[in-house]
Amino acid sequence: MPELPEVETTRRGIEPHTVGRKIVSLDVYEPRLRWPVQADMPQLVAGQKVLHAKRRAKYLLLELETGTLMIHLGMSGSLRVLPADTPRLTHDHFDVLLDSGSVLRYNDPRRFGSLMYVTGDPNEHPLLVDLAPEPLEEGFNTEYLWQATRGRKVTIKQLLMNSKLVVRVGNIYASEALFRAQVRPRRQAKSLSRLEVAKLTRAVRQVLTMAIKVGGTTLRDYVGADGLPGYFRQKLFVYERAKEPCRKCGTPVRQLTQGQRSTYFCPTCQK
Ligand SMILES: [Zn+2]
């Protein structure tokens, strides 16, 4: 599933090809995505210039002159910039044809993704308005996470996966950040010391930044079949490394299940 780093990688990949370009047409081949694509959307967006390519959580926001195209990749969606005459593949559901002769093409075998057009401030949209601070922006800092963890009995791993508190960083990145912060995933959120919260805040940023950086180097095929940026997998300390030696101390990595998701940790490095 595309997580925040993959979506940011996509944003960076499409930005230079879309911003400043005019939309010649929007061609929807399969409107039955997670929510049906509004029938009049092609008329609404044709002729508009793309002003910015932004991201909020896992939504890509293509700001146009009178509104914003909001794209979510769902479980299996991907966007590619291609020459307009590139033949379509199965599961290619819509094309944004640009005046450069390129097309922004959306492919999504499972169709859990979405395409919406919103007018007004997209951050006020019901899907975005209650989202937590972006983990790579200033609002996400030690003080914020400190307040968010106080009095909370939920485990710190699950708190990191709660989109109302922290924009979902994804299972892989939550496990890796906890390893770097030397905090066990099953600890109650409220038990973390101020120092641990500070380390965790930094670790979340580091892990995401690194994932985006390596994702950015493999632009065309930004994810492998397993959804992980190829080069990032080699840098994982614990994720999907159950029983393998910890890369720091050699202790076998342990696996447990939390909220139906697998979590990995080193019983020696993490307290
Ligand atoms: Zn270890």
Side-chain angles (χ1 to χ4, degrees), residues 75-148:
M75 307 282 286
S76 56
S78 62
L79 280 167
R80 295 281 190 279
V81 177
L82 301 163
D85 57 0
T86 308
R88 275 198 290 132
L89 303 172
T90 320
H91 311 301
D92 281 343
H93 301 318
F94 66 80
D95 275 347
V96 182
L97 180 63
L98 302 160
D99 65 356
S100 57
S102 291
V103 71
L104 181 64
R105 181 164 289 172
Y106 182 77
N107 184 286
D108 187 357
R110 298 183 65 181
R111 287 197 273 119
F112 279 108
S114 60
L115 173 66
M116 281 176 278
Y117 183 66
V118 298
T119 50
D121 184 355
N123 291 307
E124 298 299 315
H125 188 276
L127 288 166
L128 303 188
V129 72
D130 290 326
L131 288 175
E134 283 290 320
L136 294 176
E137 288 178 13
E138 278 180 21
F140 182 75
N141 52 38
T142 302
E143 182 58 27
Y144 175 82
L145 196 57
W146 177 250
Q147 294 302 337

Side-chain angles (χ1 to χ4, degrees), residues 179 246 248-249 251 266 268-269:
F179 175 83
C246 167
K248 271 210 174 131
C249 74
T251 307
C266 170
T268 304
C269 292

Side-chain angles (χ1 to χ4, degrees), residues 33 38 44 74 82 101 112 121 220-221:
L33 300 182
Q38 212 182 310
L44 294 172
L82 301 163
F112 279 108
D121 184 355
R220 189 139 283 237
D221 288 294

Side-chain angles (χ1 to χ4, degrees), residues 30-105:
E30 175 53 89
R32 292 169 302 168
L33 300 182
R34 177 164 183 185
W35 297 293
V37 178
Q38 212 182 310
D40 60 352
M41 204 185 293
Q43 277 159 269
L44 294 172
V45 304
Q48 291 203 56
K49 203 182 216 181
V50 180
L51 304 179
H52 302 280
K54 294 184 177 171
R55 178 188 59 76
R56 178 72 173 110
K58 294 207 286 183
Y59 288 92
L60 288 161
L61 306 171
L62 285 184
E63 281 187 21
L64 311 182
E65 290 160 277
T66 66
T68 303
L69 277 174
M70 223 165 100
I71 302 167
H72 196 287
L73 304 178
M75 307 282 286
S76 56
S78 62
L79 280 167
R80 295 281 190 279
V81 177
L82 301 163
D85 57 0
T86 308
R88 275 198 290 132
L89 303 172
T90 320
H91 311 301
D92 281 343
H93 301 318
F94 66 80
D95 275 347
V96 182
L97 180 63
L98 302 160
D99 65 356
S100 57
S102 291
V103 71
L104 181 64
R105 181 164 289 172

Side-chain angles (χ1 to χ4, degrees), residues 179-193:
F179 175 83
R180 285 161 178 260
Q182 299 169 287
V183 171
R184 287 201 188 193
R186 261 195 299 210
R187 291 262 303 276
Q188 285 190 337
K190 66 175 188 177
S191 76
L192 269 68
S193 69

